[in-house]
PDB file of all heavy atoms in Angstrom:
ATOM      1  N   GLN R   8     -36.888 -20.632   3.851  1.00  0.00           N
ATOM      2  CA  GLN R   8     -36.729 -20.232   2.355  1.00  0.00           C
ATOM      3  C   GLN R   8     -36.558 -21.475   1.524  1.00  0.00           C
ATOM      4  O   GLN R   8     -37.031 -21.549   0.394  1.00  0.00           O
ATOM      5  CB  GLN R   8     -35.598 -19.305   2.147  1.00  0.00           C
ATOM      6  CG  GLN R   8     -35.484 -18.681   0.731  1.00  0.00           C
ATOM      7  CD  GLN R   8     -36.717 -17.875   0.417  1.00  0.00           C
ATOM      8  OE1 GLN R   8     -37.071 -16.931   1.179  1.00  0.00           O
ATOM      9  NE2 GLN R   8     -37.337 -18.307  -0.711  1.00  0.00           N
ATOM     10  N   HIS R   9     -35.822 -22.482   1.983  1.00  0.00           N
ATOM     11  CA  HIS R   9     -35.536 -23.686   1.219  1.00  0.00           C
ATOM     12  C   HIS R   9     -36.933 -24.392   0.899  1.00  0.00           C
ATOM     13  O   HIS R   9     -37.198 -24.882  -0.159  1.00  0.00           O
ATOM     14  CB  HIS R   9     -34.724 -24.633   1.990  1.00  0.00           C
ATOM     15  CG  HIS R   9     -34.530 -26.008   1.427  1.00  0.00           C
ATOM     16  ND1 HIS R   9     -33.919 -26.242   0.209  1.00  0.00           N
ATOM     17  CD2 HIS R   9     -34.985 -27.230   1.839  1.00  0.00           C
ATOM     18  CE1 HIS R   9     -33.946 -27.489  -0.139  1.00  0.00           C
ATOM     19  NE2 HIS R   9     -34.551 -28.192   0.829  1.00  0.00           N
ATOM     20  N   GLU R  10     -37.802 -24.371   2.008  1.00  0.00           N
ATOM     21  CA  GLU R  10     -39.143 -25.058   1.781  1.00  0.00           C
ATOM     22  C   GLU R  10     -39.955 -24.266   0.712  1.00  0.00           C
ATOM     23  O   GLU R  10     -40.667 -24.889  -0.115  1.00  0.00           O
ATOM     24  CB  GLU R  10     -39.911 -25.096   3.149  1.00  0.00           C
ATOM     25  CG  GLU R  10     -39.250 -26.069   4.212  1.00  0.00           C
ATOM     26  CD  GLU R  10     -39.593 -27.493   3.925  1.00  0.00           C
ATOM     27  OE1 GLU R  10     -40.698 -27.763   3.419  1.00  0.00           O
ATOM     28  OE2 GLU R  10     -38.797 -28.347   4.332  1.00  0.00           O
ATOM     29  N   LEU R  11     -39.864 -22.917   0.822  1.00  0.00           N
ATOM     30  CA  LEU R  11     -40.562 -22.235  -0.205  1.00  0.00           C
ATOM     31  C   LEU R  11     -39.971 -22.486  -1.639  1.00  0.00           C
ATOM     32  O   LEU R  11     -40.761 -22.418  -2.627  1.00  0.00           O
ATOM     33  CB  LEU R  11     -40.420 -20.668   0.106  1.00  0.00           C
ATOM     34  CG  LEU R  11     -41.237 -20.165   1.261  1.00  0.00           C
ATOM     35  CD1 LEU R  11     -40.811 -18.770   1.593  1.00  0.00           C
ATOM     36  CD2 LEU R  11     -42.743 -20.205   0.914  1.00  0.00           C
ATOM     37  N   ASP R  12     -38.649 -22.653  -1.750  1.00  0.00           N
ATOM     38  CA  ASP R  12     -38.100 -22.944  -2.961  1.00  0.00           C
ATOM     39  C   ASP R  12     -38.567 -24.208  -3.611  1.00  0.00           C
ATOM     40  O   ASP R  12     -38.690 -24.357  -4.802  1.00  0.00           O
ATOM     41  CB  ASP R  12     -36.490 -22.854  -2.861  1.00  0.00           C
ATOM     42  CG  ASP R  12     -35.944 -21.545  -2.590  1.00  0.00           C
ATOM     43  OD1 ASP R  12     -36.725 -20.491  -2.817  1.00  0.00           O
ATOM     44  OD2 ASP R  12     -34.837 -21.379  -2.167  1.00  0.00           O
ATOM     45  N   LEU R  13     -38.867 -25.136  -2.745  1.00  0.00           N
ATOM     46  CA  LEU R  13     -39.329 -26.504  -3.250  1.00  0.00           C
ATOM     47  C   LEU R  13     -40.770 -26.306  -3.838  1.00  0.00           C
ATOM     48  O   LEU R  13     -41.221 -27.159  -4.578  1.00  0.00           O
ATOM     49  CB  LEU R  13     -39.363 -27.500  -2.088  1.00  0.00           C
ATOM     50  CG  LEU R  13     -38.042 -27.920  -1.506  1.00  0.00           C
ATOM     51  CD1 LEU R  13     -38.170 -28.781  -0.284  1.00  0.00           C
ATOM     52  CD2 LEU R  13     -37.232 -28.554  -2.555  1.00  0.00           C
ATOM     53  N   ARG R  14     -41.527 -25.308  -3.292  1.00  0.00           N
ATOM     54  CA  ARG R  14     -43.000 -25.143  -3.845  1.00  0.00           C
ATOM     55  C   ARG R  14     -43.023 -24.106  -4.930  1.00  0.00           C
ATOM     56  O   ARG R  14     -43.920 -24.118  -5.771  1.00  0.00           O
ATOM     57  CB  ARG R  14     -43.729 -24.558  -2.709  1.00  0.00           C
ATOM     58  CG  ARG R  14     -45.240 -24.610  -2.870  1.00  0.00           C
ATOM     59  CD  ARG R  14     -45.857 -23.357  -2.414  1.00  0.00           C
ATOM     60  NE  ARG R  14     -45.512 -22.208  -3.298  1.00  0.00           N
ATOM     61  CZ  ARG R  14     -46.286 -21.791  -4.323  1.00  0.00           C
ATOM     62  NH1 ARG R  14     -47.449 -22.358  -4.566  1.00  0.00           N
ATOM     63  NH2 ARG R  14     -45.868 -20.788  -5.083  1.00  0.00           N
ATOM     64  N   LYS R  15     -41.908 -23.238  -5.168  1.00  0.00           N
ATOM     65  CA  LYS R  15     -42.173 -22.089  -6.042  1.00  0.00           C
ATOM     66  C   LYS R  15     -42.294 -22.436  -7.457  1.00  0.00           C
ATOM     67  O   LYS R  15     -41.809 -23.639  -7.879  1.00  0.00           O
ATOM     68  CB  LYS R  15     -40.984 -21.147  -5.846  1.00  0.00           C
ATOM     69  CG  LYS R  15     -39.631 -21.592  -6.464  1.00  0.00           C
ATOM     70  CD  LYS R  15     -38.612 -20.515  -6.234  1.00  0.00           C
ATOM     71  CE  LYS R  15     -37.226 -20.897  -6.984  1.00  0.00           C
ATOM     72  NZ  LYS R  15     -36.148 -19.849  -6.774  1.00  0.00           N
ATOM     73  N   PRO R  16     -42.821 -21.656  -8.293  1.00  0.00           N
ATOM     74  CA  PRO R  16     -43.130 -22.000  -9.753  1.00  0.00           C
ATOM     75  C   PRO R  16     -41.643 -21.793 -10.509  1.00  0.00           C
ATOM     76  O   PRO R  16     -40.683 -21.221  -9.926  1.00  0.00           O
ATOM     77  CB  PRO R  16     -44.114 -20.920 -10.157  1.00  0.00           C
ATOM     78  CG  PRO R  16     -43.826 -19.726  -9.264  1.00  0.00           C
ATOM     79  CD  PRO R  16     -43.516 -20.349  -7.934  1.00  0.00           C
ATOM     80  N   GLY R  17     -41.709 -22.228 -11.691  1.00  0.00           N
ATOM     81  CA  GLY R  17     -40.597 -21.972 -12.710  1.00  0.00           C
ATOM     82  C   GLY R  17     -39.319 -22.819 -12.351  1.00  0.00           C
ATOM     83  O   GLY R  17     -38.221 -22.433 -12.768  1.00  0.00           O
ATOM     84  N   GLN R  18     -39.470 -23.865 -11.483  1.00  0.00           N
ATOM     85  CA  GLN R  18     -38.239 -24.549 -11.054  1.00  0.00           C
ATOM     86  C   GLN R  18     -37.846 -25.663 -11.945  1.00  0.00           C
ATOM     87  O   GLN R  18     -36.689 -26.263 -11.792  1.00  0.00           O
ATOM     88  CB  GLN R  18     -38.383 -25.068  -9.618  1.00  0.00           C
ATOM     89  CG  GLN R  18     -39.520 -25.960  -9.454  1.00  0.00           C
ATOM     90  CD  GLN R  18     -39.782 -26.327  -8.010  1.00  0.00           C
ATOM     91  OE1 GLN R  18     -39.076 -27.232  -7.529  1.00  0.00           O
ATOM     92  NE2 GLN R  18     -40.694 -25.646  -7.305  1.00  0.00           N
ATOM     93  N   SER R  19     -38.762 -26.071 -12.888  1.00  0.00           N
ATOM     94  CA  SER R  19     -38.301 -27.225 -13.850  1.00  0.00           C
ATOM     95  C   SER R  19     -39.174 -27.109 -15.106  1.00  0.00           C
ATOM     96  O   SER R  19     -40.165 -26.336 -15.108  1.00  0.00           O
ATOM     97  CB  SER R  19     -38.475 -28.495 -13.179  1.00  0.00           C
ATOM     98  OG  SER R  19     -39.822 -28.924 -13.101  1.00  0.00           O
ATOM     99  N   SER R  20     -38.915 -27.933 -16.013  1.00  0.00           N
ATOM    100  CA  SER R  20     -39.651 -27.972 -17.341  1.00  0.00           C
ATOM    101  C   SER R  20     -41.095 -28.497 -17.207  1.00  0.00           C
ATOM    102  O   SER R  20     -41.845 -28.328 -18.061  1.00  0.00           O
ATOM    103  CB  SER R  20     -38.876 -28.850 -18.319  1.00  0.00           C
ATOM    104  OG  SER R  20     -38.716 -30.238 -17.846  1.00  0.00           O
ATOM    105  N   ILE R  21     -41.379 -29.215 -16.040  1.00  0.00           N
ATOM    106  CA  ILE R  21     -42.712 -29.738 -15.903  1.00  0.00           C
ATOM    107  C   ILE R  21     -43.611 -28.876 -14.951  1.00  0.00           C
ATOM    108  O   ILE R  21     -44.716 -29.389 -14.549  1.00  0.00           O
ATOM    109  CB  ILE R  21     -42.670 -31.264 -15.355  1.00  0.00           C
ATOM    110  CG1 ILE R  21     -42.023 -31.344 -14.018  1.00  0.00           C
ATOM    111  CG2 ILE R  21     -41.938 -32.082 -16.432  1.00  0.00           C
ATOM    112  CD1 ILE R  21     -42.071 -32.692 -13.369  1.00  0.00           C
ATOM    113  N   THR R  22     -43.141 -27.793 -14.564  1.00  0.00           N
ATOM    114  CA  THR R  22     -43.989 -26.891 -13.749  1.00  0.00           C
ATOM    115  C   THR R  22     -44.220 -25.558 -14.453  1.00  0.00           C
ATOM    116  O   THR R  22     -43.678 -25.248 -15.466  1.00  0.00           O
ATOM    117  CB  THR R  22     -43.265 -26.504 -12.380  1.00  0.00           C
ATOM    118  OG1 THR R  22     -42.049 -25.820 -12.693  1.00  0.00           O
ATOM    119  CG2 THR R  22     -42.902 -27.774 -11.618  1.00  0.00           C
ATOM    120  N   THR R  23     -45.212 -24.754 -13.953  1.00  0.00           N
ATOM    121  CA  THR R  23     -45.463 -23.457 -14.576  1.00  0.00           C
ATOM    122  C   THR R  23     -44.228 -22.650 -14.632  1.00  0.00           C
ATOM    123  O   THR R  23     -43.380 -22.646 -13.761  1.00  0.00           O
ATOM    124  CB  THR R  23     -46.570 -22.758 -13.710  1.00  0.00           C
ATOM    125  OG1 THR R  23     -46.719 -21.395 -14.214  1.00  0.00           O
ATOM    126  CG2 THR R  23     -46.244 -22.639 -12.201  1.00  0.00           C
ATOM    127  N   GLN R  24     -44.181 -21.867 -15.684  1.00  0.00           N
ATOM    128  CA  GLN R  24     -42.974 -20.953 -15.901  1.00  0.00           C
ATOM    129  C   GLN R  24     -43.119 -19.580 -15.266  1.00  0.00           C
ATOM    130  O   GLN R  24     -42.406 -18.656 -15.624  1.00  0.00           O
ATOM    131  CB  GLN R  24     -42.650 -20.933 -17.384  1.00  0.00           C
ATOM    132  CG  GLN R  24     -42.229 -22.321 -17.876  1.00  0.00           C
ATOM    133  CD  GLN R  24     -41.001 -22.876 -17.142  1.00  0.00           C
ATOM    134  OE1 GLN R  24     -39.955 -22.373 -17.074  1.00  0.00           O
ATOM    135  NE2 GLN R  24     -41.292 -24.061 -16.434  1.00  0.00           N
ATOM    136  N   ARG R  25     -44.168 -19.373 -14.536  1.00  0.00           N
ATOM    137  CA  ARG R  25     -44.229 -18.092 -13.743  1.00  0.00           C
ATOM    138  C   ARG R  25     -42.823 -17.948 -12.835  1.00  0.00           C
ATOM    139  O   ARG R  25     -42.628 -18.917 -12.170  1.00  0.00           O
ATOM    140  CB  ARG R  25     -45.504 -18.046 -12.833  1.00  0.00           C
ATOM    141  CG  ARG R  25     -45.564 -16.788 -12.024  1.00  0.00           C
ATOM    142  CD  ARG R  25     -46.912 -16.676 -11.278  1.00  0.00           C
ATOM    143  NE  ARG R  25     -46.966 -15.521 -10.404  1.00  0.00           N
ATOM    144  CZ  ARG R  25     -48.057 -15.034  -9.823  1.00  0.00           C
ATOM    145  NH1 ARG R  25     -49.220 -15.759  -9.986  1.00  0.00           N
ATOM    146  NH2 ARG R  25     -48.050 -14.046  -9.034  1.00  0.00           N
ATOM    147  N   ASP R  26     -42.302 -16.836 -13.024  1.00  0.00           N
ATOM    148  CA  ASP R  26     -40.849 -16.758 -12.495  1.00  0.00           C
ATOM    149  C   ASP R  26     -40.924 -15.958 -11.189  1.00  0.00           C
ATOM    150  O   ASP R  26     -40.606 -14.740 -11.210  1.00  0.00           O
ATOM    151  CB  ASP R  26     -39.950 -16.264 -13.462  1.00  0.00           C
ATOM    152  CG  ASP R  26     -38.502 -16.224 -13.031  1.00  0.00           C
ATOM    153  OD1 ASP R  26     -38.156 -16.960 -12.098  1.00  0.00           O
ATOM    154  OD2 ASP R  26     -37.601 -15.462 -13.558  1.00  0.00           O
ATOM    155  N   GLU R  27     -41.326 -16.598 -10.123  1.00  0.00           N
ATOM    156  CA  GLU R  27     -41.363 -15.833  -8.737  1.00  0.00           C
ATOM    157  C   GLU R  27     -40.018 -16.392  -7.911  1.00  0.00           C
ATOM    158  O   GLU R  27     -39.821 -17.549  -7.921  1.00  0.00           O
ATOM    159  CB  GLU R  27     -42.624 -16.147  -8.045  1.00  0.00           C
ATOM    160  CG  GLU R  27     -43.842 -15.599  -8.769  1.00  0.00           C
ATOM    161  CD  GLU R  27     -44.054 -14.099  -8.503  1.00  0.00           C
ATOM    162  OE1 GLU R  27     -43.168 -13.459  -7.899  1.00  0.00           O
ATOM    163  OE2 GLU R  27     -45.112 -13.499  -8.957  1.00  0.00           O
ATOM    164  N   ASP R  28     -39.504 -15.432  -7.127  1.00  0.00           N
ATOM    165  CA  ASP R  28     -38.281 -15.888  -6.283  1.00  0.00           C
ATOM    166  C   ASP R  28     -38.862 -16.266  -4.954  1.00  0.00           C
ATOM    167  O   ASP R  28     -38.284 -16.980  -4.129  1.00  0.00           O
ATOM    168  CB  ASP R  28     -37.210 -14.768  -6.228  1.00  0.00           C
ATOM    169  CG  ASP R  28     -37.822 -13.499  -5.687  1.00  0.00           C
ATOM    170  OD1 ASP R  28     -38.979 -13.368  -5.155  1.00  0.00           O
ATOM    171  OD2 ASP R  28     -37.088 -12.475  -5.690  1.00  0.00           O
ATOM    172  N   ASP R  29     -40.147 -15.917  -4.649  1.00  0.00           N
ATOM    173  CA  ASP R  29     -40.852 -16.244  -3.409  1.00  0.00           C
ATOM    174  C   ASP R  29     -39.890 -16.044  -2.133  1.00  0.00           C
ATOM    175  O   ASP R  29     -39.836 -16.860  -1.284  1.00  0.00           O
ATOM    176  CB  ASP R  29     -41.326 -17.670  -3.445  1.00  0.00           C
ATOM    177  CG  ASP R  29     -42.499 -17.876  -4.368  1.00  0.00           C
ATOM    178  OD1 ASP R  29     -43.035 -16.888  -4.816  1.00  0.00           O
ATOM    179  OD2 ASP R  29     -42.880 -19.008  -4.611  1.00  0.00           O
ATOM    180  N   GLN R  30     -39.381 -14.848  -2.034  1.00  0.00           N
ATOM    181  CA  GLN R  30     -38.478 -14.478  -0.946  1.00  0.00           C
ATOM    182  C   GLN R  30     -39.538 -14.010   0.267  1.00  0.00           C
ATOM    183  O   GLN R  30     -40.230 -13.123   0.139  1.00  0.00           O
ATOM    184  CB  GLN R  30     -37.615 -13.304  -1.309  1.00  0.00           C
ATOM    185  CG  GLN R  30     -36.500 -13.701  -2.271  1.00  0.00           C
ATOM    186  CD  GLN R  30     -35.582 -14.723  -1.581  1.00  0.00           C
ATOM    187  OE1 GLN R  30     -35.015 -14.419  -0.433  1.00  0.00           O
ATOM    188  NE2 GLN R  30     -35.212 -15.734  -2.302  1.00  0.00           N
ATOM    189  N   ILE R  31     -39.160 -14.654   1.406  1.00  0.00           N
ATOM    190  CA  ILE R  31     -40.038 -14.337   2.556  1.00  0.00           C
ATOM    191  C   ILE R  31     -39.530 -12.998   3.202  1.00  0.00           C
ATOM    192  O   ILE R  31     -38.338 -12.770   3.351  1.00  0.00           O
ATOM    193  CB  ILE R  31     -39.960 -15.494   3.583  1.00  0.00           C
ATOM    194  CG1 ILE R  31     -40.942 -15.186   4.757  1.00  0.00           C
ATOM    195  CG2 ILE R  31     -38.605 -15.740   4.106  1.00  0.00           C
ATOM    196  CD1 ILE R  31     -41.119 -16.316   5.735  1.00  0.00           C
ATOM    197  N   GLU R  32     -40.487 -12.280   3.709  1.00  0.00           N
ATOM    198  CA  GLU R  32     -40.158 -10.926   4.445  1.00  0.00           C
ATOM    199  C   GLU R  32     -40.923 -11.108   5.823  1.00  0.00           C
ATOM    200  O   GLU R  32     -42.119 -11.290   5.853  1.00  0.00           O
ATOM    201  CB  GLU R  32     -40.796  -9.750   3.678  1.00  0.00           C
ATOM    202  CG  GLU R  32     -40.196  -9.467   2.293  1.00  0.00           C
ATOM    203  CD  GLU R  32     -40.877  -8.312   1.665  1.00  0.00           C
ATOM    204  OE1 GLU R  32     -41.289  -7.433   2.413  1.00  0.00           O
ATOM    205  OE2 GLU R  32     -40.936  -8.237   0.440  1.00  0.00           O
ATOM    206  N   LEU R  33     -40.206 -11.153   6.833  1.00  0.00           N
ATOM    207  CA  LEU R  33     -40.781 -11.250   8.169  1.00  0.00           C
ATOM    208  C   LEU R  33     -41.066  -9.832   8.686  1.00  0.00           C
ATOM    209  O   LEU R  33     -40.215  -8.876   8.679  1.00  0.00           O
ATOM    210  CB  LEU R  33     -39.663 -11.881   9.081  1.00  0.00           C
ATOM    211  CG  LEU R  33     -39.581 -13.478   8.906  1.00  0.00           C
ATOM    212  CD1 LEU R  33     -38.302 -13.907   9.668  1.00  0.00           C
ATOM    213  CD2 LEU R  33     -40.764 -14.114   9.274  1.00  0.00           C
ATOM    214  N   VAL R  34     -42.302  -9.792   9.177  1.00  0.00           N
ATOM    215  CA  VAL R  34     -42.795  -8.457   9.634  1.00  0.00           C
ATOM    216  C   VAL R  34     -42.774  -8.287  11.135  1.00  0.00           C
ATOM    217  O   VAL R  34     -42.537  -7.192  11.626  1.00  0.00           O
ATOM    218  CB  VAL R  34     -44.230  -8.135   9.112  1.00  0.00           C
ATOM    219  CG1 VAL R  34     -44.784  -6.815   9.596  1.00  0.00           C
ATOM    220  CG2 VAL R  34     -44.184  -8.227   7.529  1.00  0.00           C
ATOM    221  N   SER R  35     -43.036  -9.377  11.868  1.00  0.00           N
ATOM    222  CA  SER R  35     -43.046  -9.340  13.306  1.00  0.00           C
ATOM    223  C   SER R  35     -42.816 -10.675  13.888  1.00  0.00           C
ATOM    224  O   SER R  35     -42.921 -11.744  13.173  1.00  0.00           O
ATOM    225  CB  SER R  35     -44.370  -8.764  13.784  1.00  0.00           C
ATOM    226  OG  SER R  35     -45.395  -9.739  13.450  1.00  0.00           O
ATOM    227  N   GLY R  36     -42.607 -10.793  15.150  1.00  0.00           N
ATOM    228  CA  GLY R  36     -42.561 -12.010  15.941  1.00  0.00           C
ATOM    229  C   GLY R  36     -41.299 -12.689  16.143  1.00  0.00           C
ATOM    230  O   GLY R  36     -41.165 -13.637  16.832  1.00  0.00           O
ATOM    231  N   ILE R  37     -40.209 -12.153  15.439  1.00  0.00           N
ATOM    232  CA  ILE R  37     -38.829 -12.841  15.616  1.00  0.00           C
ATOM    233  C   ILE R  37     -37.860 -11.723  15.855  1.00  0.00           C
ATOM    234  O   ILE R  37     -37.853 -10.661  15.163  1.00  0.00           O
ATOM    235  CB  ILE R  37     -38.478 -13.617  14.275  1.00  0.00           C
ATOM    236  CG1 ILE R  37     -39.522 -14.733  14.105  1.00  0.00           C
ATOM    237  CG2 ILE R  37     -37.028 -14.083  14.388  1.00  0.00           C
ATOM    238  CD1 ILE R  37     -39.273 -15.528  12.851  1.00  0.00           C
ATOM    239  N   PHE R  38     -37.036 -11.942  16.942  1.00  0.00           N
ATOM    240  CA  PHE R  38     -36.019 -10.940  17.257  1.00  0.00           C
ATOM    241  C   PHE R  38     -34.768 -11.639  17.577  1.00  0.00           C
ATOM    242  O   PHE R  38     -34.669 -12.589  18.291  1.00  0.00           O
ATOM    243  CB  PHE R  38     -36.573 -10.162  18.498  1.00  0.00           C
ATOM    244  CG  PHE R  38     -35.545  -9.132  19.025  1.00  0.00           C
ATOM    245  CD1 PHE R  38     -35.185  -8.027  18.302  1.00  0.00           C
ATOM    246  CD2 PHE R  38     -34.946  -9.344  20.267  1.00  0.00           C
ATOM    247  CE1 PHE R  38     -34.359  -7.017  18.775  1.00  0.00           C
ATOM    248  CE2 PHE R  38     -34.053  -8.416  20.781  1.00  0.00           C
ATOM    249  CZ  PHE R  38     -33.716  -7.259  20.087  1.00  0.00           C
ATOM    250  N   GLU R  39     -33.674 -11.224  16.949  1.00  0.00           N
ATOM    251  CA  GLU R  39     -32.326 -11.705  17.128  1.00  0.00           C
ATOM    252  C   GLU R  39     -32.366 -13.219  16.849  1.00  0.00           C
ATOM    253  O   GLU R  39     -31.627 -13.970  17.538  1.00  0.00           O
ATOM    254  CB  GLU R  39     -31.770 -11.345  18.514  1.00  0.00           C
ATOM    255  CG  GLU R  39     -31.598  -9.870  18.712  1.00  0.00           C
ATOM    256  CD  GLU R  39     -30.939  -9.505  20.084  1.00  0.00           C
ATOM    257  OE1 GLU R  39     -31.001 -10.397  21.036  1.00  0.00           O
ATOM    258  OE2 GLU R  39     -30.383  -8.496  20.156  1.00  0.00           O
ATOM    259  N   GLY R  40     -33.095 -13.620  15.861  1.00  0.00           N
ATOM    260  CA  GLY R  40     -33.112 -15.016  15.431  1.00  0.00           C
ATOM    261  C   GLY R  40     -33.951 -15.937  16.228  1.00  0.00           C
ATOM    262  O   GLY R  40     -33.932 -17.160  15.918  1.00  0.00           O
ATOM    263  N   LYS R  41     -34.759 -15.428  17.125  1.00  0.00           N
ATOM    264  CA  LYS R  41     -35.543 -16.217  18.036  1.00  0.00           C
ATOM    265  C   LYS R  41     -37.008 -15.718  18.053  1.00  0.00           C
ATOM    266  O   LYS R  41     -37.249 -14.546  17.860  1.00  0.00           O
ATOM    267  CB  LYS R  41     -35.019 -16.300  19.387  1.00  0.00           C
ATOM    268  CG  LYS R  41     -33.677 -16.987  19.591  1.00  0.00           C
ATOM    269  CD  LYS R  41     -33.311 -17.173  21.011  1.00  0.00           C
ATOM    270  CE  LYS R  41     -32.000 -17.837  21.164  1.00  0.00           C
ATOM    271  NZ  LYS R  41     -31.544 -18.028  22.591  1.00  0.00           N
ATOM    272  N   SER R  42     -37.905 -16.653  18.251  1.00  0.00           N
ATOM    273  CA  SER R  42     -39.364 -16.409  18.259  1.00  0.00           C
ATOM    274  C   SER R  42     -39.668 -15.615  19.525  1.00  0.00           C
ATOM    275  O   SER R  42     -39.092 -15.917  20.644  1.00  0.00           O
ATOM    276  CB  SER R  42     -40.223 -17.599  18.194  1.00  0.00           C
ATOM    277  OG  SER R  42     -39.896 -18.542  19.139  1.00  0.00           O
ATOM    278  N   LEU R  43     -40.553 -14.604  19.488  1.00  0.00           N
ATOM    279  CA  LEU R  43     -40.900 -13.802  20.641  1.00  0.00           C
ATOM    280  C   LEU R  43     -42.090 -14.366  21.520  1.00  0.00           C
ATOM    281  O   LEU R  43     -42.322 -13.929  22.587  1.00  0.00           O
ATOM    282  CB  LEU R  43     -41.134 -12.438  20.236  1.00  0.00           C
ATOM    283  CG  LEU R  43     -39.972 -11.561  19.887  1.00  0.00           C
ATOM    284  CD1 LEU R  43     -40.451 -10.222  19.231  1.00  0.00           C
ATOM    285  CD2 LEU R  43     -38.999 -11.326  21.020  1.00  0.00           C
ATOM    286  N   GLY R  44     -42.803 -15.324  20.846  1.00  0.00           N
ATOM    287  CA  GLY R  44     -44.067 -15.702  21.417  1.00  0.00           C
ATOM    288  C   GLY R  44     -45.226 -14.896  21.070  1.00  0.00           C
ATOM    289  O   GLY R  44     -46.421 -15.099  21.360  1.00  0.00           O
ATOM    290  N   THR R  45     -45.037 -13.817  20.272  1.00  0.00           N
ATOM    291  CA  THR R  45     -46.014 -12.889  19.728  1.00  0.00           C
ATOM    292  C   THR R  45     -46.338 -13.393  18.307  1.00  0.00           C
ATOM    293  O   THR R  45     -45.596 -14.140  17.775  1.00  0.00           O
ATOM    294  CB  THR R  45     -45.501 -11.451  19.718  1.00  0.00           C
ATOM    295  OG1 THR R  45     -44.162 -11.430  19.015  1.00  0.00           O
ATOM    296  CG2 THR R  45     -45.211 -10.961  21.133  1.00  0.00           C
ATOM    297  N   PRO R  46     -47.398 -12.815  17.649  1.00  0.00           N
ATOM    298  CA  PRO R  46     -47.737 -13.163  16.340  1.00  0.00           C
ATOM    299  C   PRO R  46     -46.624 -13.011  15.354  1.00  0.00           C
ATOM    300  O   PRO R  46     -45.997 -11.959  15.325  1.00  0.00           O
ATOM    301  CB  PRO R  46     -48.926 -12.238  15.993  1.00  0.00           C
ATOM    302  CG  PRO R  46     -49.542 -11.985  17.342  1.00  0.00           C
ATOM    303  CD  PRO R  46     -48.459 -11.886  18.226  1.00  0.00           C
ATOM    304  N   ILE R  47     -46.265 -14.024  14.570  1.00  0.00           N
ATOM    305  CA  ILE R  47     -45.384 -13.945  13.528  1.00  0.00           C
ATOM    306  C   ILE R  47     -46.008 -13.684  12.241  1.00  0.00           C
ATOM    307  O   ILE R  47     -46.811 -14.432  11.642  1.00  0.00           O
ATOM    308  CB  ILE R  47     -44.528 -15.321  13.368  1.00  0.00           C
ATOM    309  CG1 ILE R  47     -43.821 -15.614  14.703  1.00  0.00           C
ATOM    310  CG2 ILE R  47     -43.609 -15.224  12.235  1.00  0.00           C
ATOM    311  CD1 ILE R  47     -43.134 -17.036  14.691  1.00  0.00           C
ATOM    312  N   ALA R  48     -45.682 -12.410  11.691  1.00  0.00           N
ATOM    313  CA  ALA R  48     -46.370 -12.066  10.397  1.00  0.00           C
ATOM    314  C   ALA R  48     -45.335 -12.003   9.337  1.00  0.00           C
ATOM    315  O   ALA R  48     -44.150 -11.678   9.585  1.00  0.00           O
ATOM    316  CB  ALA R  48     -46.924 -10.655  10.588  1.00  0.00           C
ATOM    317  N   PHE R  49     -45.722 -12.427   8.070  1.00  0.00           N
ATOM    318  CA  PHE R  49     -44.749 -12.456   7.004  1.00  0.00           C
ATOM    319  C   PHE R  49     -45.412 -12.134   5.708  1.00  0.00           C
ATOM    320  O   PHE R  49     -46.712 -12.331   5.559  1.00  0.00           O
ATOM    321  CB  PHE R  49     -44.161 -13.929   7.029  1.00  0.00           C
ATOM    322  CG  PHE R  49     -45.150 -15.046   6.747  1.00  0.00           C
ATOM    323  CD1 PHE R  49     -45.476 -15.374   5.533  1.00  0.00           C
ATOM    324  CD2 PHE R  49     -45.726 -15.587   7.838  1.00  0.00           C
ATOM    325  CE1 PHE R  49     -46.453 -16.405   5.370  1.00  0.00           C
ATOM    326  CE2 PHE R  49     -46.770 -16.631   7.618  1.00  0.00           C
ATOM    327  CZ  PHE R  49     -47.073 -17.025   6.435  1.00  0.00           C
TER     328      PHE R  49
END
């Protein structure tokens, strides 16, 4: 999420003011905080 925040719009006066929070939603591939080795969808 930190990496996404560095890329997201609206973060300063010199970037686009589109106001997206860019929150990641994990759909598959991670269980109990660890990768399963299966496809990670987000």
Side-chain angles (χ1 to χ4, degrees):
Q8 188 60 56
H9 174 68
E10 292 283 327
L11 286 170
D12 291 345
L13 294 175
R14 193 224 70 95
K15 74 178 182 179
Q18 57 184 280
S19 78
S20 61
I21 60 173
T22 63
T23 171
Q24 293 308 295
R25 179 172 176 171
D26 187 17
E27 296 279 6
D28 58 11
D29 285 353
Q30 291 293 312
I31 186 172
E32 298 177 29
L33 287 170
V34 178
S35 67
I37 297 176
F38 178 66
E39 294 183 341
K41 293 184 177 181
S42 58
L43 289 169
T45 57
I47 298 173
F49 60 90

